[in-house]
Amino acid sequence: MDDLLERLHVVSLPMRVRFRGITVREVALIEGPAGWGEFGAFTEYEPTEAAHWLSSAVEAAYRPAPVPHRDRIPVNATVPAVPPEQVPEVLARFPGARTAKVKVAEPGQCLADDVARVEAVRALVPTVRVDANGGWSVAEAVAAAAALGELEYLEQPCATVEELAEVRRQIDTPVAADESIRKVVDPFRVVALGAADIAVVKVAPLGGVQRLLVIAARIGIPVVVSSALDSAVGMSRGLLAAGCLPELPYACGLGTGGLFVEDIVDPVAPVDGRLPVGPVVPDRARLTALAAPPERRQWWIERVRRCHALL
């Protein structure tokens, strides 16, 4: 524990647009003997959930990385719940992307807002998927699927596995599960109940690359590796996991670095819609410039202590 805390850097990354209700992303980075790890569980998460994120950071910092099968990963553009007139500006940060994931079901917005945003994206990108983050009822999800037109898939339309299964029975659009995999004790229940066609998996919430690969191998449906609004350090672990999968049928949600005004390294733009697999070493000057205030660093230290006790 002492060694881990000595290696800890806490940074505040300003964002270009509000995403998940925040405009500044705080993460703790661990400079370990095997590389850099990221502990970035969202601040509202309790220790029992956040401990998985710490486990992922410890894996990256202290354990050798697996060898990937591929060195470049196709990524989707990520479009927050912005007005349609801002869509071209957002998509410009994802050069070459042929797939876009659009946030929908934003609190304070309505289905008409979602439809307008999706149509603006569809005018520029051929393949569109949407993510509701569990924000709809079954009836709302069914109505949205009809109103939004052809989609690659509808991600986490409702909160519970049972609701996902009901939506899947009522619509033709494929259903993807995210929170119903990473926020539950049994990540395989979505398949057992026929609740999803696709599994969205994220390294940090699942406890690391190795844990993600185990789940992907056993779950029995195609997987999409996605980010959890990671810095470049965390994103590198998602790209590594995607590179280690035997098959990669869908573009991955690993291009969210474009949502940050500043990151701990120079941004790497996708080339032909793909990002490279490889380790990331933060820039020392950026670590200093983006360092969180002392009181926030102490908050993260205490959080690490609480989570570490649960590992």
PDB file of all heavy atoms in Angstrom, residues 46-82:
ATOM      1  N   GLU A  46     -19.315   3.831  -4.943  1.00  0.00           N
ATOM      2  CA  GLU A  46     -18.937   3.366  -3.610  1.00  0.00           C
ATOM      3  C   GLU A  46     -17.708   2.451  -3.708  1.00  0.00           C
ATOM      4  O   GLU A  46     -17.404   1.907  -4.774  1.00  0.00           O
ATOM      5  CB  GLU A  46     -20.106   2.618  -2.966  1.00  0.00           C
ATOM      6  CG  GLU A  46     -21.326   3.491  -2.687  1.00  0.00           C
ATOM      7  CD  GLU A  46     -21.043   4.570  -1.651  1.00  0.00           C
ATOM      8  OE1 GLU A  46     -20.204   4.338  -0.756  1.00  0.00           O
ATOM      9  OE2 GLU A  46     -21.661   5.649  -1.747  1.00  0.00           O
ATOM     10  N   PRO A  47     -17.000   2.249  -2.589  1.00  0.00           N
ATOM     11  CA  PRO A  47     -15.774   1.443  -2.632  1.00  0.00           C
ATOM     12  C   PRO A  47     -15.942   0.039  -3.192  1.00  0.00           C
ATOM     13  O   PRO A  47     -15.054  -0.462  -3.881  1.00  0.00           O
ATOM     14  CB  PRO A  47     -15.342   1.409  -1.160  1.00  0.00           C
ATOM     15  CG  PRO A  47     -15.867   2.686  -0.594  1.00  0.00           C
ATOM     16  CD  PRO A  47     -17.170   2.911  -1.278  1.00  0.00           C
ATOM     17  N   THR A  48     -17.080  -0.609  -2.934  1.00  0.00           N
ATOM     18  CA  THR A  48     -17.259  -1.973  -3.436  1.00  0.00           C
ATOM     19  C   THR A  48     -17.204  -2.029  -4.951  1.00  0.00           C
ATOM     20  O   THR A  48     -16.705  -2.997  -5.529  1.00  0.00           O
ATOM     21  CB  THR A  48     -18.595  -2.558  -2.958  1.00  0.00           C
ATOM     22  OG1 THR A  48     -19.648  -1.616  -3.226  1.00  0.00           O
ATOM     23  CG2 THR A  48     -18.553  -2.855  -1.465  1.00  0.00           C
ATOM     24  N   GLU A  49     -17.720  -1.001  -5.620  1.00  0.00           N
ATOM     25  CA  GLU A  49     -17.649  -0.942  -7.080  1.00  0.00           C
ATOM     26  C   GLU A  49     -16.314  -0.373  -7.543  1.00  0.00           C
ATOM     27  O   GLU A  49     -15.686  -0.884  -8.483  1.00  0.00           O
ATOM     28  CB  GLU A  49     -18.803  -0.099  -7.629  1.00  0.00           C
ATOM     29  CG  GLU A  49     -18.837  -0.035  -9.146  1.00  0.00           C
ATOM     30  CD  GLU A  49     -20.083   0.659  -9.674  1.00  0.00           C
ATOM     31  OE1 GLU A  49     -20.938   1.092  -8.872  1.00  0.00           O
ATOM     32  OE2 GLU A  49     -20.209   0.776 -10.908  1.00  0.00           O
ATOM     33  N   ALA A  50     -15.848   0.674  -6.884  1.00  0.00           N
ATOM     34  CA  ALA A  50     -14.604   1.324  -7.297  1.00  0.00           C
ATOM     35  C   ALA A  50     -13.397   0.409  -7.138  1.00  0.00           C
ATOM     36  O   ALA A  50     -12.392   0.569  -7.839  1.00  0.00           O
ATOM     37  CB  ALA A  50     -14.402   2.606  -6.485  1.00  0.00           C
ATOM     38  N   ALA A  51     -13.478  -0.585  -6.240  1.00  0.00           N
ATOM     39  CA  ALA A  51     -12.341  -1.482  -6.019  1.00  0.00           C
ATOM     40  C   ALA A  51     -11.960  -2.241  -7.279  1.00  0.00           C
ATOM     41  O   ALA A  51     -10.783  -2.559  -7.497  1.00  0.00           O
ATOM     42  CB  ALA A  51     -12.661  -2.461  -4.891  1.00  0.00           C
ATOM     43  N   HIS A  52     -12.940  -2.544  -8.140  1.00  0.00           N
ATOM     44  CA  HIS A  52     -12.623  -3.213  -9.402  1.00  0.00           C
ATOM     45  C   HIS A  52     -11.712  -2.330 -10.261  1.00  0.00           C
ATOM     46  O   HIS A  52     -10.787  -2.820 -10.921  1.00  0.00           O
ATOM     47  CB  HIS A  52     -13.908  -3.530 -10.170  1.00  0.00           C
ATOM     48  CG  HIS A  52     -14.803  -4.499  -9.469  1.00  0.00           C
ATOM     49  ND1 HIS A  52     -14.521  -5.840  -9.357  1.00  0.00           N
ATOM     50  CD2 HIS A  52     -15.989  -4.318  -8.824  1.00  0.00           C
ATOM     51  CE1 HIS A  52     -15.489  -6.450  -8.693  1.00  0.00           C
ATOM     52  NE2 HIS A  52     -16.389  -5.539  -8.354  1.00  0.00           N
ATOM     53  N   TRP A  53     -11.987  -1.028 -10.252  1.00  0.00           N
ATOM     54  CA  TRP A  53     -11.175  -0.088 -11.027  1.00  0.00           C
ATOM     55  C   TRP A  53      -9.754  -0.028 -10.488  1.00  0.00           C
ATOM     56  O   TRP A  53      -8.792   0.064 -11.250  1.00  0.00           O
ATOM     57  CB  TRP A  53     -11.811   1.296 -10.987  1.00  0.00           C
ATOM     58  CG  TRP A  53     -13.189   1.414 -11.561  1.00  0.00           C
ATOM     59  CD1 TRP A  53     -14.308   0.768 -11.149  1.00  0.00           C
ATOM     60  CD2 TRP A  53     -13.597   2.255 -12.650  1.00  0.00           C
ATOM     61  NE1 TRP A  53     -15.388   1.157 -11.904  1.00  0.00           N
ATOM     62  CE2 TRP A  53     -14.985   2.064 -12.818  1.00  0.00           C
ATOM     63  CE3 TRP A  53     -12.929   3.175 -13.461  1.00  0.00           C
ATOM     64  CZ2 TRP A  53     -15.710   2.739 -13.798  1.00  0.00           C
ATOM     65  CZ3 TRP A  53     -13.654   3.857 -14.431  1.00  0.00           C
ATOM     66  CH2 TRP A  53     -15.027   3.643 -14.602  1.00  0.00           C
ATOM     67  N   LEU A  54      -9.616  -0.086  -9.162  1.00  0.00           N
ATOM     68  CA  LEU A  54      -8.280  -0.095  -8.568  1.00  0.00           C
ATOM     69  C   LEU A  54      -7.536  -1.381  -8.932  1.00  0.00           C
ATOM     70  O   LEU A  54      -6.336  -1.361  -9.213  1.00  0.00           O
ATOM     71  CB  LEU A  54      -8.361   0.067  -7.051  1.00  0.00           C
ATOM     72  CG  LEU A  54      -7.011   0.120  -6.330  1.00  0.00           C
ATOM     73  CD1 LEU A  54      -6.144   1.274  -6.831  1.00  0.00           C
ATOM     74  CD2 LEU A  54      -7.212   0.216  -4.824  1.00  0.00           C
ATOM     75  N   SER A  55      -8.249  -2.501  -8.938  1.00  0.00           N
ATOM     76  CA  SER A  55      -7.638  -3.764  -9.339  1.00  0.00           C
ATOM     77  C   SER A  55      -7.075  -3.672 -10.747  1.00  0.00           C
ATOM     78  O   SER A  55      -5.976  -4.169 -11.039  1.00  0.00           O
ATOM     79  CB  SER A  55      -8.670  -4.887  -9.247  1.00  0.00           C
ATOM     80  OG  SER A  55      -8.113  -6.116  -9.649  1.00  0.00           O
ATOM     81  N   SER A  56      -7.816  -3.025 -11.642  1.00  0.00           N
ATOM     82  CA  SER A  56      -7.344  -2.837 -13.020  1.00  0.00           C
ATOM     83  C   SER A  56      -6.077  -1.992 -13.057  1.00  0.00           C
ATOM     84  O   SER A  56      -5.128  -2.289 -13.803  1.00  0.00           O
ATOM     85  CB  SER A  56      -8.448  -2.168 -13.847  1.00  0.00           C
ATOM     86  OG  SER A  56      -8.016  -1.908 -15.161  1.00  0.00           O
ATOM     87  N   ALA A  57      -6.035  -0.935 -12.244  1.00  0.00           N
ATOM     88  CA  ALA A  57      -4.857  -0.066 -12.204  1.00  0.00           C
ATOM     89  C   ALA A  57      -3.642  -0.814 -11.673  1.00  0.00           C
ATOM     90  O   ALA A  57      -2.523  -0.663 -12.184  1.00  0.00           O
ATOM     91  CB  ALA A  57      -5.145   1.161 -11.341  1.00  0.00           C
ATOM     92  N   VAL A  58      -3.844  -1.626 -10.649  1.00  0.00           N
ATOM     93  CA  VAL A  58      -2.746  -2.402 -10.077  1.00  0.00           C
ATOM     94  C   VAL A  58      -2.223  -3.413 -11.098  1.00  0.00           C
ATOM     95  O   VAL A  58      -1.007  -3.610 -11.231  1.00  0.00           O
ATOM     96  CB  VAL A  58      -3.209  -3.098  -8.780  1.00  0.00           C
ATOM     97  CG1 VAL A  58      -2.173  -4.109  -8.302  1.00  0.00           C
ATOM     98  CG2 VAL A  58      -3.474  -2.062  -7.692  1.00  0.00           C
ATOM     99  N   GLU A  59      -3.129  -4.053 -11.824  1.00  0.00           N
ATOM    100  CA  GLU A  59      -2.716  -4.992 -12.873  1.00  0.00           C
ATOM    101  C   GLU A  59      -1.804  -4.304 -13.884  1.00  0.00           C
ATOM    102  O   GLU A  59      -0.734  -4.819 -14.238  1.00  0.00           O
ATOM    103  CB  GLU A  59      -3.942  -5.547 -13.595  1.00  0.00           C
ATOM    104  CG  GLU A  59      -3.614  -6.456 -14.772  1.00  0.00           C
ATOM    105  CD  GLU A  59      -4.797  -6.708 -15.683  1.00  0.00           C
ATOM    106  OE1 GLU A  59      -5.233  -5.742 -16.368  1.00  0.00           O
ATOM    107  OE2 GLU A  59      -5.269  -7.856 -15.728  1.00  0.00           O
ATOM    108  N   ALA A  60      -2.204  -3.118 -14.348  1.00  0.00           N
ATOM    109  CA  ALA A  60      -1.414  -2.404 -15.359  1.00  0.00           C
ATOM    110  C   ALA A  60      -0.062  -1.969 -14.818  1.00  0.00           C
ATOM    111  O   ALA A  60       0.947  -1.998 -15.535  1.00  0.00           O
ATOM    112  CB  ALA A  60      -2.194  -1.189 -15.859  1.00  0.00           C
ATOM    113  N   ALA A  61      -0.021  -1.561 -13.560  1.00  0.00           N
ATOM    114  CA  ALA A  61       1.205  -1.003 -12.992  1.00  0.00           C
ATOM    115  C   ALA A  61       2.202  -2.066 -12.543  1.00  0.00           C
ATOM    116  O   ALA A  61       3.413  -1.819 -12.551  1.00  0.00           O
ATOM    117  CB  ALA A  61       0.855  -0.096 -11.809  1.00  0.00           C
ATOM    118  N   TYR A  62       1.700  -3.247 -12.170  1.00  0.00           N
ATOM    119  CA  TYR A  62       2.577  -4.225 -11.516  1.00  0.00           C
ATOM    120  C   TYR A  62       2.709  -5.561 -12.248  1.00  0.00           C
ATOM    121  O   TYR A  62       3.555  -6.373 -11.863  1.00  0.00           O
ATOM    122  CB  TYR A  62       2.080  -4.490 -10.091  1.00  0.00           C
ATOM    123  CG  TYR A  62       2.288  -3.337  -9.149  1.00  0.00           C
ATOM    124  CD1 TYR A  62       1.314  -2.350  -8.980  1.00  0.00           C
ATOM    125  CD2 TYR A  62       3.460  -3.211  -8.411  1.00  0.00           C
ATOM    126  CE1 TYR A  62       1.494  -1.283  -8.116  1.00  0.00           C
ATOM    127  CE2 TYR A  62       3.657  -2.149  -7.539  1.00  0.00           C
ATOM    128  CZ  TYR A  62       2.665  -1.192  -7.395  1.00  0.00           C
ATOM    129  OH  TYR A  62       2.857  -0.135  -6.536  1.00  0.00           O
ATOM    130  N   ARG A  63       1.899  -5.817 -13.262  1.00  0.00           N
ATOM    131  CA  ARG A  63       1.926  -7.127 -13.908  1.00  0.00           C
ATOM    132  C   ARG A  63       2.274  -6.985 -15.390  1.00  0.00           C
ATOM    133  O   ARG A  63       1.827  -6.038 -16.044  1.00  0.00           O
ATOM    134  CB  ARG A  63       0.575  -7.828 -13.763  1.00  0.00           C
ATOM    135  CG  ARG A  63       0.187  -8.061 -12.313  1.00  0.00           C
ATOM    136  CD  ARG A  63      -1.189  -8.675 -12.198  1.00  0.00           C
ATOM    137  NE  ARG A  63      -1.668  -8.649 -10.814  1.00  0.00           N
ATOM    138  CZ  ARG A  63      -2.923  -8.857 -10.455  1.00  0.00           C
ATOM    139  NH1 ARG A  63      -3.833  -9.091 -11.376  1.00  0.00           N
ATOM    140  NH2 ARG A  63      -3.274  -8.819  -9.186  1.00  0.00           N
ATOM    141  N   PRO A  64       3.025  -7.946 -15.952  1.00  0.00           N
ATOM    142  CA  PRO A  64       3.365  -7.877 -17.383  1.00  0.00           C
ATOM    143  C   PRO A  64       2.108  -7.893 -18.249  1.00  0.00           C
ATOM    144  O   PRO A  64       1.127  -8.575 -17.925  1.00  0.00           O
ATOM    145  CB  PRO A  64       4.217  -9.135 -17.607  1.00  0.00           C
ATOM    146  CG  PRO A  64       4.715  -9.520 -16.255  1.00  0.00           C
ATOM    147  CD  PRO A  64       3.655  -9.102 -15.288  1.00  0.00           C
ATOM    148  N   ALA A  65       2.147  -7.159 -19.348  1.00  0.00           N
ATOM    149  CA  ALA A  65       0.999  -7.082 -20.251  1.00  0.00           C
ATOM    150  C   ALA A  65       0.967  -8.296 -21.175  1.00  0.00           C
ATOM    151  O   ALA A  65       2.014  -8.805 -21.587  1.00  0.00           O
ATOM    152  CB  ALA A  65       1.075  -5.803 -21.085  1.00  0.00           C
ATOM    153  N   PRO A  66      -0.230  -8.783 -21.538  1.00  0.00           N
ATOM    154  CA  PRO A  66      -0.321  -9.848 -22.532  1.00  0.00           C
ATOM    155  C   PRO A  66       0.091  -9.342 -23.916  1.00  0.00           C
ATOM    156  O   PRO A  66       0.112  -8.137 -24.167  1.00  0.00           O
ATOM    157  CB  PRO A  66      -1.800 -10.236 -22.497  1.00  0.00           C
ATOM    158  CG  PRO A  66      -2.502  -9.017 -21.985  1.00  0.00           C
ATOM    159  CD  PRO A  66      -1.550  -8.352 -21.042  1.00  0.00           C
ATOM    160  N   VAL A  67       0.407 -10.265 -24.794  1.00  0.00           N
ATOM    161  CA  VAL A  67       0.834  -9.909 -26.149  1.00  0.00           C
ATOM    162  C   VAL A  67      -0.391  -9.860 -27.063  1.00  0.00           C
ATOM    163  O   VAL A  67      -1.124 -10.846 -27.176  1.00  0.00           O
ATOM    164  CB  VAL A  67       1.850 -10.933 -26.685  1.00  0.00           C
ATOM    165  CG1 VAL A  67       2.257 -10.575 -28.112  1.00  0.00           C
ATOM    166  CG2 VAL A  67       3.072 -10.984 -25.779  1.00  0.00           C
ATOM    167  N   PRO A  68      -0.657  -8.726 -27.719  1.00  0.00           N
ATOM    168  CA  PRO A  68      -1.853  -8.611 -28.570  1.00  0.00           C
ATOM    169  C   PRO A  68      -1.693  -9.333 -29.911  1.00  0.00           C
ATOM    170  O   PRO A  68      -0.584  -9.599 -30.367  1.00  0.00           O
ATOM    171  CB  PRO A  68      -1.983  -7.095 -28.780  1.00  0.00           C
ATOM    172  CG  PRO A  68      -0.586  -6.575 -28.655  1.00  0.00           C
ATOM    173  CD  PRO A  68       0.101  -7.455 -27.647  1.00  0.00           C
ATOM    174  N   HIS A  69      -2.836  -9.617 -30.535  1.00  0.00           N
ATOM    175  CA  HIS A  69      -2.869 -10.240 -31.861  1.00  0.00           C
ATOM    176  C   HIS A  69      -2.839  -9.210 -32.990  1.00  0.00           C
ATOM    177  O   HIS A  69      -2.542  -9.558 -34.127  1.00  0.00           O
ATOM    178  CB  HIS A  69      -4.138 -11.086 -32.026  1.00  0.00           C
ATOM    179  CG  HIS A  69      -4.316 -12.137 -30.985  1.00  0.00           C
ATOM    180  ND1 HIS A  69      -3.390 -13.124 -30.755  1.00  0.00           N
ATOM    181  CD2 HIS A  69      -5.319 -12.349 -30.091  1.00  0.00           C
ATOM    182  CE1 HIS A  69      -3.814 -13.916 -29.783  1.00  0.00           C
ATOM    183  NE2 HIS A  69      -4.985 -13.462 -29.353  1.00  0.00           N
ATOM    184  N   ARG A  70      -3.203  -7.966 -32.684  1.00  0.00           N
ATOM    185  CA  ARG A  70      -3.263  -6.915 -33.710  1.00  0.00           C
ATOM    186  C   ARG A  70      -2.731  -5.629 -33.096  1.00  0.00           C
ATOM    187  O   ARG A  70      -2.763  -5.459 -31.873  1.00  0.00           O
ATOM    188  CB  ARG A  70      -4.698  -6.738 -34.236  1.00  0.00           C
ATOM    189  CG  ARG A  70      -5.694  -6.357 -33.173  1.00  0.00           C
ATOM    190  CD  ARG A  70      -7.132  -6.331 -33.691  1.00  0.00           C
ATOM    191  NE  ARG A  70      -7.618  -7.653 -34.049  1.00  0.00           N
ATOM    192  CZ  ARG A  70      -8.092  -8.530 -33.179  1.00  0.00           C
ATOM    193  NH1 ARG A  70      -8.141  -8.227 -31.879  1.00  0.00           N
ATOM    194  NH2 ARG A  70      -8.531  -9.698 -33.567  1.00  0.00           N
ATOM    195  N   ASP A  71      -2.250  -4.727 -33.965  1.00  0.00           N
ATOM    196  CA  ASP A  71      -1.621  -3.509 -33.445  1.00  0.00           C
ATOM    197  C   ASP A  71      -2.406  -2.236 -33.739  1.00  0.00           C
ATOM    198  O   ASP A  71      -1.985  -1.154 -33.357  1.00  0.00           O
ATOM    199  CB  ASP A  71      -0.190  -3.374 -33.973  1.00  0.00           C
ATOM    200  CG  ASP A  71      -0.127  -3.270 -35.497  1.00  0.00           C
ATOM    201  OD1 ASP A  71      -1.198  -3.234 -36.153  1.00  0.00           O
ATOM    202  OD2 ASP A  71       0.986  -3.230 -36.037  1.00  0.00           O
ATOM    203  N   ARG A  72      -3.550  -2.351 -34.408  1.00  0.00           N
ATOM    204  CA  ARG A  72      -4.397  -1.187 -34.657  1.00  0.00           C
ATOM    205  C   ARG A  72      -5.852  -1.600 -34.456  1.00  0.00           C
ATOM    206  O   ARG A  72      -6.258  -2.683 -34.869  1.00  0.00           O
ATOM    207  CB  ARG A  72      -4.187  -0.616 -36.066  1.00  0.00           C
ATOM    208  CG  ARG A  72      -2.754  -0.134 -36.293  1.00  0.00           C
ATOM    209  CD  ARG A  72      -2.625   0.667 -37.581  1.00  0.00           C
ATOM    210  NE  ARG A  72      -3.270   1.965 -37.462  1.00  0.00           N
ATOM    211  CZ  ARG A  72      -2.742   3.012 -36.839  1.00  0.00           C
ATOM    212  NH1 ARG A  72      -1.564   2.925 -36.261  1.00  0.00           N
ATOM    213  NH2 ARG A  72      -3.373   4.152 -36.795  1.00  0.00           N
ATOM    214  N   ILE A  73      -6.630  -0.691 -33.831  1.00  0.00           N
ATOM    215  CA  ILE A  73      -7.999  -1.021 -33.436  1.00  0.00           C
ATOM    216  C   ILE A  73      -8.974  -0.020 -34.071  1.00  0.00           C
ATOM    217  O   ILE A  73      -8.804   1.202 -33.896  1.00  0.00           O
ATOM    218  CB  ILE A  73      -8.148  -0.961 -31.902  1.00  0.00           C
ATOM    219  CG1 ILE A  73      -7.105  -1.856 -31.219  1.00  0.00           C
ATOM    220  CG2 ILE A  73      -9.565  -1.345 -31.494  1.00  0.00           C
ATOM    221  CD1 ILE A  73      -7.169  -3.315 -31.596  1.00  0.00           C
ATOM    222  N   PRO A  74      -9.995  -0.507 -34.785  1.00  0.00           N
ATOM    223  CA  PRO A  74     -11.016   0.418 -35.297  1.00  0.00           C
ATOM    224  C   PRO A  74     -11.834   0.992 -34.146  1.00  0.00           C
ATOM    225  O   PRO A  74     -12.228   0.248 -33.232  1.00  0.00           O
ATOM    226  CB  PRO A  74     -11.875  -0.467 -36.200  1.00  0.00           C
ATOM    227  CG  PRO A  74     -11.674  -1.852 -35.676  1.00  0.00           C
ATOM    228  CD  PRO A  74     -10.280  -1.907 -35.128  1.00  0.00           C
ATOM    229  N   VAL A  75     -12.071   2.292 -34.170  1.00  0.00           N
ATOM    230  CA  VAL A  75     -12.799   2.946 -33.078  1.00  0.00           C
ATOM    231  C   VAL A  75     -13.979   3.724 -33.632  1.00  0.00           C
ATOM    232  O   VAL A  75     -13.955   4.205 -34.772  1.00  0.00           O
ATOM    233  CB  VAL A  75     -11.889   3.890 -32.260  1.00  0.00           C
ATOM    234  CG1 VAL A  75     -10.766   3.095 -31.603  1.00  0.00           C
ATOM    235  CG2 VAL A  75     -11.317   5.006 -33.115  1.00  0.00           C
ATOM    236  N   ASN A  76     -15.013   3.837 -32.800  1.00  0.00           N
ATOM    237  CA  ASN A  76     -16.151   4.665 -33.186  1.00  0.00           C
ATOM    238  C   ASN A  76     -15.959   6.093 -32.695  1.00  0.00           C
ATOM    239  O   ASN A  76     -15.240   6.344 -31.724  1.00  0.00           O
ATOM    240  CB  ASN A  76     -17.468   4.093 -32.653  1.00  0.00           C
ATOM    241  CG  ASN A  76     -17.582   4.054 -31.145  1.00  0.00           C
ATOM    242  OD1 ASN A  76     -17.547   2.985 -30.558  1.00  0.00           O
ATOM    243  ND2 ASN A  76     -17.737   5.217 -30.492  1.00  0.00           N
ATOM    244  N   ALA A  77     -16.591   7.025 -33.381  1.00  0.00           N
ATOM    245  CA  ALA A  77     -16.723   8.382 -32.855  1.00  0.00           C
ATOM    246  C   ALA A  77     -17.735   8.352 -31.711  1.00  0.00           C
ATOM    247  O   ALA A  77     -18.664   7.543 -31.714  1.00  0.00           O
ATOM    248  CB  ALA A  77     -17.191   9.333 -33.945  1.00  0.00           C
ATOM    249  N   THR A  78     -17.546   9.220 -30.731  1.00  0.00           N
ATOM    250  CA  THR A  78     -18.484   9.328 -29.610  1.00  0.00           C
ATOM    251  C   THR A  78     -19.096  10.719 -29.617  1.00  0.00           C
ATOM    252  O   THR A  78     -18.374  11.720 -29.549  1.00  0.00           O
ATOM    253  CB  THR A  78     -17.777   9.072 -28.274  1.00  0.00           C
ATOM    254  OG1 THR A  78     -17.244   7.739 -28.273  1.00  0.00           O
ATOM    255  CG2 THR A  78     -18.751   9.201 -27.119  1.00  0.00           C
ATOM    256  N   VAL A  79     -20.417  10.760 -29.698  1.00  0.00           N
ATOM    257  CA  VAL A  79     -21.132  12.035 -29.778  1.00  0.00           C
ATOM    258  C   VAL A  79     -21.942  12.230 -28.502  1.00  0.00           C
ATOM    259  O   VAL A  79     -22.924  11.504 -28.265  1.00  0.00           O
ATOM    260  CB  VAL A  79     -22.062  12.070 -31.001  1.00  0.00           C
ATOM    261  CG1 VAL A  79     -22.786  13.416 -31.082  1.00  0.00           C
ATOM    262  CG2 VAL A  79     -21.275  11.818 -32.286  1.00  0.00           C
ATOM    263  N   PRO A  80     -21.540  13.155 -27.614  1.00  0.00           N
ATOM    264  CA  PRO A  80     -22.336  13.428 -26.410  1.00  0.00           C
ATOM    265  C   PRO A  80     -23.697  13.995 -26.779  1.00  0.00           C
ATOM    266  O   PRO A  80     -24.019  14.187 -27.959  1.00  0.00           O
ATOM    267  CB  PRO A  80     -21.474  14.460 -25.668  1.00  0.00           C
ATOM    268  CG  PRO A  80     -20.112  14.370 -26.280  1.00  0.00           C
ATOM    269  CD  PRO A  80     -20.334  13.975 -27.703  1.00  0.00           C
ATOM    270  N   ALA A  81     -24.487  14.286 -25.762  1.00  0.00           N
ATOM    271  CA  ALA A  81     -25.849  14.782 -25.980  1.00  0.00           C
ATOM    272  C   ALA A  81     -25.838  16.264 -26.330  1.00  0.00           C
ATOM    273  O   ALA A  81     -26.408  17.108 -25.624  1.00  0.00           O
ATOM    274  CB  ALA A  81     -26.697  14.519 -24.750  1.00  0.00           C
ATOM    275  N   VAL A  82     -25.188  16.581 -27.453  1.00  0.00           N
ATOM    276  CA  VAL A  82     -25.053  17.967 -27.903  1.00  0.00           C
ATOM    277  C   VAL A  82     -26.178  18.319 -28.872  1.00  0.00           C
ATOM    278  O   VAL A  82     -26.809  17.436 -29.457  1.00  0.00           O
ATOM    279  CB  VAL A  82     -23.687  18.186 -28.594  1.00  0.00           C
ATOM    280  CG1 VAL A  82     -22.549  17.956 -27.614  1.00  0.00           C
ATOM    281  CG2 VAL A  82     -23.539  17.283 -29.815  1.00  0.00           C
TER     282      VAL A  82
END
